[in-house]
């Protein structure tokens, strides 16, 4: 606890790092064009000042409570627990305004934008959740908003595109590269380098160049802070393990941070394994990637032998990203957290199971965490497992209809697959 | 002294700015890029930047993105880029590589430096690597006698400019605009003051890039800078030729001659 950042921003920095220049062990840092260095320095300073200012944190707390609906509930999923053979607690981030944990991050960043005197925000989005959250925060705080979204994602998440437009945001479909999240980030960075004097980049996950991984963590860590206290109150003890899905990793770092120093609490992140890691069609960055530099940070990256970024694949647009936040890379490298792959099929099985047992339709992203937790329950029978249910699944109904053949009178077969047999692949179903 | 420093010294001795031309390796094909670069070298470029196509070029506008994507789709490899460097350097023109950082890191910083030096390259321009994160490259470039060209921008503080130029050699790359690569119809009013601030911090030559596309702009920039860097305008000529290599060569030659005349006018 010696660097200046720590003294200025006790909320923002903890024992996990980063150091003053944004490094988590060998990961992180700032690999960005010189043109953006001044803006990133300005952002770092403004953020640290804000987090040390009781007026800012009080206003953010008020917004989170009154507008977003925090603290989110910690819900004991008794029927799911029976099926799983372990005590499963769900952190209900899906019940927050806009339907996901992302609202915590954007309210923090948007309030910071106002404080910095900027009037426009830009954001990238994959599933559309961060885009919707950004558009919402922009409407709420009277900021102009432009959202970059890969063209492929605008097609598979058309409903979220409509939501963003209704909220007053401009949605720009990105047609370069693989036309998904990574290319949306590239395009947002290109916008930012030209508009940085009046525009803030609301980065959607705990990745990217310093200070974003630590900054985003500071706004989402309420998830874990709340869950830890709620779990103690509900069960009288800490959970045996905490689990979350990992794309860039913001919901996961939001949950994990509060438990990093609890040596007895095991930490699991579940990555999107798409068709299976062995098929090469996946987004399991830590499981199958190599250390490299992507979007401003050193981290694990899905890349070919020449360091070109590979396309990732996942049924879940929000996890379909070939990089991962640098702190997760560090937690994986140090062994503090374990990162395991979950396939599309496993996630969709858990998606249906949660709907049938608890009446909760999760985001497909969050269904990866549920699926991984069910697997974990078999290794840790009777254990208390705390899952971050990071978002709700309304946006995913189109995908679910296609996967399960819903709307084609397949309801009964779905009930069978959800509670007994693993769900088949779409090909087997159709 | 690298060939790069020589090229700038020669231009300075002639009382003019150096003309620096950029083309991506492997665009439209590996051999096609060598042919195109030869045209640039023969018709007036003092320095050639060979671009290493990358999947996520955040500093590049649509023109260079399109070229890089086309090169990658046709399977260009890092080893091919080094082959283009070798062919470029063989023309006698000073040759540097412009690359995003990850491909170098993946190739191995030390190995890349060694292979670049033996291909006759003078150094690297690194748009997303600043000296802050450049430890291994500072070491490798030292060991292999390669130049490190870092970027300064209109948003750079004087302190940043001092810091960055301390770690530069060969020349300093001044980005004329706050934005990405791409031809623009007017020159930037930000470039002149940036060059002046940079020259207060260093005796190294200062090259200005981003947006220069014709002889008049080259002349204007040559009035205050030591080098005029042109990329997208060359790439655009090749894209517009639509696969007609003869037409592309003719257009590239005409543009190079116009720019070369411009840097002598400024």
């Amino acid at each position: 606890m010696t660097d200046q950042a720590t003294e200025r921003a006790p909320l923002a920095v903890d024992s996990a790092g980063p150091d003053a220049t944004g490094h988590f062990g060998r990961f992180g840092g700032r690999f960005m064009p010189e043109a953006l260095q001044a803006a990133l320095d300005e952002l770092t300073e403004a953020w640290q000042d804000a987090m040390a200012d009781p007026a800012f944190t009080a206003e953010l707390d008020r917004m989170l409570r009154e507008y977003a609906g925090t603290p989110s509930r910690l819900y004991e999923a008794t029927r799911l627990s029976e099926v799983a053979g372990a005590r499963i607690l769900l952190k209900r981030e899906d019940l927050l305004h806009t339907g996901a944990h992302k609202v915590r991050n954007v309210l923090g960043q948007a309030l910071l934008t106002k404080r910095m005197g900027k009037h426009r925000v830009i954001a990238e989005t994959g599933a559309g959740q961060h885009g919707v959250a950004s558009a919402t925060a922009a409407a709420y705080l009277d900021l102009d908003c432009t959202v970059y979204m890969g063209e492929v994602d605008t097609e598979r998440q058309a409903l979220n595109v409509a939501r963003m437009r209704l909220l007053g945001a401009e949605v720009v479909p990105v047609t370069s590269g693989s036309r998904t999240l990574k290319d949306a980030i590239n395009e947002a960075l290109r916008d930012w380098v030209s508009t940085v004097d009046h525009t803030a980049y609301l980065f959607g996950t705990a990745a990217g160049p310093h200070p974003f991984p630590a900054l985003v963590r500071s706004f989402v860590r309420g998830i874990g802070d709340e869950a830890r206290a709620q779990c103690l109150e509900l069960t009288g003890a800490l959970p045996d393990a905490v689990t979350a899905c990992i794309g860039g990793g913001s919901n996961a770092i939001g949950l994990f941070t509060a438990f990093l120093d609890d040596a007895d609490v095991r930490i699991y992140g579940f990555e999107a394994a798409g068709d299976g890691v062995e098929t090469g069609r996946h987004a399991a960055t830590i499981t199958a990637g190599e250390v490299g530099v992507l979007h401003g940070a050193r981290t694990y990256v899905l890349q070919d032998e020449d360091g070109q970024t590979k396309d990732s694949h996942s049924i879940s647009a929000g996890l379909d990203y070939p990089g991962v936040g640098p702190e997760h890379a560090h937690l994986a490298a140090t062994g503090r957290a374990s990162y395991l792959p979950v396939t599309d099929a496993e996630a969709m099985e858990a998606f249906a199971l949660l709907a049938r047992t608890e009446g909760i339709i999760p985001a497909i992203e969050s269904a990866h965490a549920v699926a991984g937790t069910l697997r974990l329950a078999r290794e840790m029978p009777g254990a208390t497992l705390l899952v971050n249910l990071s978002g709700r699944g309304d946006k995913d109904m189109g995908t679910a209809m296609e996967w399960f053949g819903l709307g084609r009178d397949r309801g009964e077969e779905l009930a069978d697959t959800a509670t007994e047999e693993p769900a088949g692949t779409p090909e087997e179903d159709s | 002294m690298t060939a790069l420093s020589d090229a700038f010294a020669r231009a300075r001795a002639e009382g003019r700015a150096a003309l620096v031309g950029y083309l991506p390796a492997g665009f439209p094909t590996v051999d096609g890029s060598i042919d195109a670069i030869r045209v640039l070298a023969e018709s007036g470029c003092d320095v050639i930047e060979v671009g290493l196509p990358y999947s996520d070029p955040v500093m590049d506008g649509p023109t260079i993105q399109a070229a890089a994507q086309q090169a990658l789709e046709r399977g260009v490899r890092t080893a091919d880029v080094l082959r283009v460097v070798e062919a470029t350097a063989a023309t006698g023109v000073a040759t540097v590589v412009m690359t995003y950082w990850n491909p170098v890191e993946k190739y191995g910083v030390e190995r890349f430096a060694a292979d670049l030096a033996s291909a006759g390259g003078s150094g690297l321009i690194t748009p997303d690597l600043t000296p802050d994160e450049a430890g291994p490259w500072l070491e490798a470039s030292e060991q292999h006698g390669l130049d490190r060209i870092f970027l300064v921008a209109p948003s750079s503080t004087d302190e940043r400019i001092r810091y960055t130029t301390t770690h530069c050699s060969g020349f300093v790359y001044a980005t004329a605009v706050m934005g990405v690569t791409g031809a623009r119809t007017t020159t930037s009013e930000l470039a002149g003051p940036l060059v002046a601030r940079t020259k207060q911090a260093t005796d190294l030559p200062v090259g200005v890039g981003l947006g220069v596309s014709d002889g008049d702009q080259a002349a204007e920039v040559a009035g205050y800078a030591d080098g005029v860097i042109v990329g997208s305008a060359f790439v655009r000529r090749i894209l517009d030729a639509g696969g007609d290599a003869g037409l592309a060569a003719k257009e590239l030659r005409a543009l190079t001659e116009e720019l070369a005349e411009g840097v002598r006018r400024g």
Side-chain angles (χ1 to χ4, degrees), chain B:
Chain B
M1 286 280 270
T2 61
L4 181 62
S5 306
D6 287 343
F8 275 96
R10 235 181 359 256
R12 189 174 279 187
E14 292 174 17
R16 63 172 178 94
L19 177 60
V20 182
Y22 165 96
L23 279 176
F27 169 73
T29 61
V30 174
D31 288 337
S33 64
I34 291 172
D35 292 343
I37 285 170
R38 283 195 182 125
V39 172
L40 265 57
E42 286 161 12
S43 38
C45 280
D46 302 289
V47 178
I48 297 289
E49 289 178 20
V50 176
L52 193 157
Y54 177 53
S55 52
D56 294 277
V58 296
M59 273 291 281
D60 286 308
T63 305
I64 291 178
Q65 280 178 51
Q69 199 162 332
Q70 193 174 319
L72 288 170
E73 278 163 8
R74 292 188 180 171
V76 70
R77 304 284 313 266
T78 303
D80 296 322
V81 177
L82 290 165
R83 183 156 76 80
V84 174
V85 168
E86 194 160 16
T88 304
T91 67
V93 75
T95 308
V96 294
V97 169
M98 174 114 169
T99 181
Y100 292 91
W101 191 240
N102 197 50
V104 178
E105 197 160 290
K106 190 70 175 70
Y107 195 89
V109 179
E110 158 63 30
R111 181 177 159 228
F112 191 92
D115 289 358
L116 178 61
S118 62
S122 291
L124 279 187
I125 303 171
T126 53
D128 65 346
L129 184 78
T130 58
D132 314 69
E133 298 282 357
W137 164 234
L138 298 180
E139 220 168 277
S141 55
E142 212 57 60
Q143 194 176 332
H144 294 280
L146 293 167
D147 283 324
R148 307 181 284 257
I149 301 101
F150 295 111
L151 279 59
V152 294
S155 59
S156 303
T157 61
D158 289 343
E159 192 189 339
R160 281 291 302 177
I161 290 176
R162 271 196 303 278
Y163 170 73
T164 302
T165 54
T166 300
H167 291 94
C168 281
S169 59
F171 75 102
V172 181
Y173 191 125
T175 54
V177 294
M178 289 298 289
V180 295
T181 58
R184 289 167 175 83
T185 48
T186 54
T187 50
S188 163
E189 59 196 25
L190 300 173
L194 174 60
V195 171
R197 289 199 294 139
T198 307
K199 284 182 164 296
Q200 278 176 2
T202 181
D203 292 331
L204 286 170
V206 181
V208 169
L210 268 53
V212 178
S213 61
D214 64 27
D216 288 343
Q217 290 178 347
E220 192 186 328
V221 171
Y224 53 79
D226 306 300
V228 177
I229 305 167
V230 180
S232 296
F234 286 125
V235 172
R236 174 49 58 198
R237 293 300 188 281
I238 298 176
L239 285 169
D240 287 350
D244 181 340
L247 177 62
K250 185 167 156 264
E251 292 287 323
L252 289 173
R253 187 176 307 278
L255 178 60
T256 309
E257 286 170 357
E258 177 186 339
L259 293 163
E261 184 274 325
V263 299
R264 283 163 175 83
R265 217 190 322 148

Side-chain angles (χ1 to χ4, degrees), chain A residues 320-390:
Chain A
D320 197 349
Y321 179 58
V324 65
E327 187 171 1
H328 289 297
H330 177 59
L331 292 173
T334 60
R336 178 62 189 100
S338 304
Y339 296 85
L340 301 167
V342 168
T343 63
D344 287 354
E346 290 175 289
M348 293 311 288
E349 183 190 355
F351 178 89
L353 179 64
L354 189 64
R356 291 287 166 144
T357 56
E358 297 288 348
I360 296 171
I361 299 174
I364 297 177
E365 289 79 9
S366 317
H368 284 72
V370 175
T373 304
L374 293 170
R375 219 163 57 197
L376 193 60
R378 293 197 281 275
E379 293 165 26
M380 303 171 68
T384 301
L385 308 176
L386 196 162
V387 186
N388 196 10
L389 203 71
S390 54

Side-chain angles (χ1 to χ4, degrees), chain A residues 30-251:
Chain A
R30 187 191 285 173
F31 294 80
M32 274 282 121
E34 172 64 19
L36 289 174
Q37 298 287 337
L40 291 164
D41 282 343
E42 180 197 5
L43 178 64
T44 306
E45 196 174 319
W47 160 61
Q48 289 176 348
D49 284 347
M51 297 307 274
D53 177 358
F56 178 86
T57 52
E59 174 63 3
L60 181 55
D61 282 347
R62 186 195 64 76
M63 285 163 43
L64 285 168
R65 214 172 44 247
E66 295 178 7
Y67 182 71
T70 68
S72 64
R73 313 278 309 202
L74 186 69
Y75 165 75
E76 179 152 13
T78 49
R79 289 198 63 213
L80 181 68
S81 296
E82 270 174 44
V83 176
R87 186 176 189 185
I88 296 182
L89 308 177
L90 301 177
K91 180 63 173 163
R92 297 291 308 275
E93 294 290 295
D94 60 315
L95 294 179
L96 296 183
H97 182 44
T98 74
H101 75 285
K102 300 272 185 193
V103 70
R104 297 179 187 261
N105 176 34
V106 295
L107 286 179
Q109 290 200 52
L111 189 62
L112 186 58
T113 301
K114 295 287 269 193
R115 184 183 165 96
M116 292 172 75
K118 299 190 175 190
H119 62 78
R120 176 176 179 257
V121 294
I122 55 173
E124 84 293 344
T125 198
Q129 292 303 86
H130 175 60
V132 168
S134 297
T136 301
Y140 177 62
L141 290 172
D142 190 22
L143 295 161
D144 297 331
C145 180
T146 300
V147 179
Y148 291 93
M149 188 169 187
E151 193 179 42
V152 171
D153 293 332
T154 61
E155 285 158 14
R156 58 183 169 180
Q157 301 287 349
L159 198 58
N160 270 343
V161 174
R163 288 169 80 192
M164 287 182 267
R165 288 183 173 147
L166 184 63
L167 290 160
E170 180 194 7
V171 181
V172 181
V174 175
T175 55
S176 58
S178 61
R179 297 177 294 137
T180 58
L181 178 57
K182 83 173 179 68
D183 307 285
I185 294 175
N186 293 341
E187 209 53 42
L189 285 167
R190 291 182 189 117
D191 178 315
W192 201 33
V193 77
S194 316
T195 59
V196 68
D197 56 324
H198 62 270
T199 295
Y201 184 3
L202 301 196
F203 207 74
T205 189
H210 179 63
F212 285 114
L215 181 152
V216 172
R217 181 184 67 191
S218 73
F219 293 134
V220 295
R221 63 165 296 163
I223 301 169
D225 291 337
E226 292 164 16
R228 191 175 182 283
Q230 289 165 326
C231 184
L232 283 170
E233 192 179 321
L234 181 74
T235 71
L238 291 173
D240 296 300
V242 295
T243 70
C245 63
I246 304 272
S250 70
N251 90 83

